[in-house]
Amino acid sequence: MCYQDLFAAGRRKLQQPLLPLARLAQLLRLTGSFPTMAAVLAELPDPLDTGSGSYHRPADLLAPYLPTLEASDFNDSSALPATLYDEQGKPLPAFEAAEAWVGQQILARELEEINSILCGPCSCTLCCTGPDRTMSQELFEIPLSSQERSLFSLPATDSPASRQCTALSEPPLTLGDRPFYELGPGLYRWESGWSLILPRGSSCPHLEDGTGRCRIYPGRPEVCRRPQIFPYLIERAPGLDSSAGLPAYVARRKLLAVWDCPYVRDLKEEIASYAEACGLEPVFKQNKG
Ligand code: SF4
Ligand code: SF4
């Protein structure tokens, strides 16, 4: 099936990523005599050509991101709520760290909007169901924060044994001599944190029968907001967290898009161009099946 007409709004957004525009504003803030980022936006010409595209009303486009842009201090990475490293484990210089942190926030927010626009027309529930009979996996996993756990009224398992393994460990966690995934959907506290487990043939309790809608859509978990194009400009690296609890991230500069998703398959070229304009390496991968 071709979704091209239904994808028009999402395609337009992919063709005009905000990150190149945000980077230009960051550069002007750093090198110009602007006292604030708001002052930079006020002086942006309209239209503005960044080299990778022409932006109409650039100040209006960046206005929703102003708090994120203002919060970063490009001369002092200790102002960031995280520590950022390169792939060799060395701390990033202040400007690179701020640029990567802000870039990730901008990409995450923009891609949440783009993914929501694109998912709607697909009438697809792949992200909200366990594997079907044609798939090799026994379960799908939806990672949750400990606060998001309360969104689901499902049996919860948090034991020394569950905390020492993951949902994909072999042999699997057993409960009453049975692999955990034979007991139906449930919440589990693993070594890596909480997740919702959807075994083969099951679906999320919030998936509405017949319509395929999410009953808690406005308050759905973070991970449900991000399918199926993920920004990995930086990636969480818990092993590098500081002893004071400051979270650590490693700069990856990648954009992951999951082939299982119909809009990813239809918009491969647009997704690759979006990544390139943002200075990211596009990575397409199959997750399920
Ligand atoms: S919470 Fe909503 S979006 Fe997330 S898996 Fe369940 S039905 Fe799908
Ligand atoms: S696979 Fe894609 S279209 Fe299907 S539910 Fe997930 S995000 Fe939506």
Side-chain angles (χ1 to χ4, degrees):
M1 177 172 177
C2 176
Y3 298 92
Q4 288 296 318
D5 293 340
L6 299 172
F7 289 158
R11 191 184 315 107
R12 274 197 301 276
K13 286 198 168 287
L14 282 170
Q15 286 167 343
Q16 195 170 64
L18 283 177
L19 194 53
L21 186 58
R23 283 181 172 148
L24 184 66
Q26 287 174 312
L27 197 62
L28 289 170
R29 171 85 172 90
L30 188 72
T31 57
S33 54
F34 300 95
T36 62
M37 189 57 87
V40 174
L41 299 201
E43 295 298 321
L44 291 178
D46 179 15
L48 190 156
D49 198 334
T50 62
S52 65
S54 183
Y55 294 81
H56 289 272
R57 305 182 66 164
D60 290 349
L61 293 174
L62 287 182
Y65 299 86
L66 189 56
T68 307
L69 288 162
E70 287 282 25
S72 54
D73 182 337
F74 299 104
N75 295 310
D76 179 12
S77 56
S78 68
L80 293 176
T83 314
L84 279 82
Y85 297 90
D86 66 17
E87 290 187 313
Q88 284 71 48
K90 282 197 210 134
L92 289 184
F95 178 78
E96 271 184 58
E99 181 264 338
W101 177 261
V102 170
Q104 178 74 11
Q105 316 309 312
I106 289 172
L107 286 166
R109 180 167 169 174
E110 183 178 52
L111 285 169
E112 178 180 333
E113 189 187 347
I114 290 173
N115 279 309
S116 296
I117 291 171
L118 293 172
C119 177
C122 292
S123 303
C124 167
T125 57
L126 191 63
C127 292
C128 311
T129 55
D132 67 26
R133 261 179 274 141
T134 66
M135 296 173 174
S136 59
Q137 294 95 337
E138 294 289 351
L139 60 95
F140 292 150
E141 182 181 18
I142 297 179
L144 301 172
S145 69
S146 46
Q147 294 80 19
E148 289 168 343
R149 187 170 63 107
S150 62
L151 294 170
F152 299 87
S153 300
L154 286 171
T157 299
D158 181 1
S159 66
S162 71
R163 282 178 176 247
Q164 281 172 17
C165 61
T166 72
L168 301 179
S169 290
E170 286 293 341
L173 176 74
T174 52
L175 296 172
D177 292 336
R178 295 170 66 192
F180 71 96
Y181 50 77
E182 290 186 0
L183 303 175
L187 302 167
Y188 291 84
R189 171 62 163 91
W190 308 106
E191 188 183 29
S192 49
W194 284 93
S195 66
L196 164 64
I197 296 298
L198 298 177
R200 186 187 296 278
S202 69
S203 53
C204 173
H206 293 308
L207 184 66
E208 195 172 77
D209 278 344
T211 67
R213 291 204 185 106
C214 171
R215 289 194 193 90
I216 60 163
Y217 191 78
R220 66 200 186 287
E222 186 79 10
V223 73
C224 300
R225 299 168 184 272
R226 302 274 153 85
Q228 289 282 348
I229 312 169
F230 302 90
Y232 280 106
L233 202 166
I234 54 174
E235 182 178 25
R236 187 78 175 87
L240 295 173
D241 285 356
S242 74
S243 53
L246 200 62
Y249 291 79
V250 169
R252 301 282 184 212
R253 303 198 177 275
K254 290 186 168 53
L255 187 83
L256 171 65
V258 179
W259 271 138
D260 314 67
C261 175
Y263 64 72
V264 170
R265 292 194 295 271
D266 266 40
L267 297 174
K268 183 187 174 197
E269 280 176 26
E270 288 85 345
I271 293 168
S273 300
Y274 176 95
E276 195 184 334
C278 296
L280 306 174
E281 177 192 346
V283 178
F284 292 91
K285 103 171 195 203
Q286 186 82 22
N287 250 4
K288 301 178 175 175

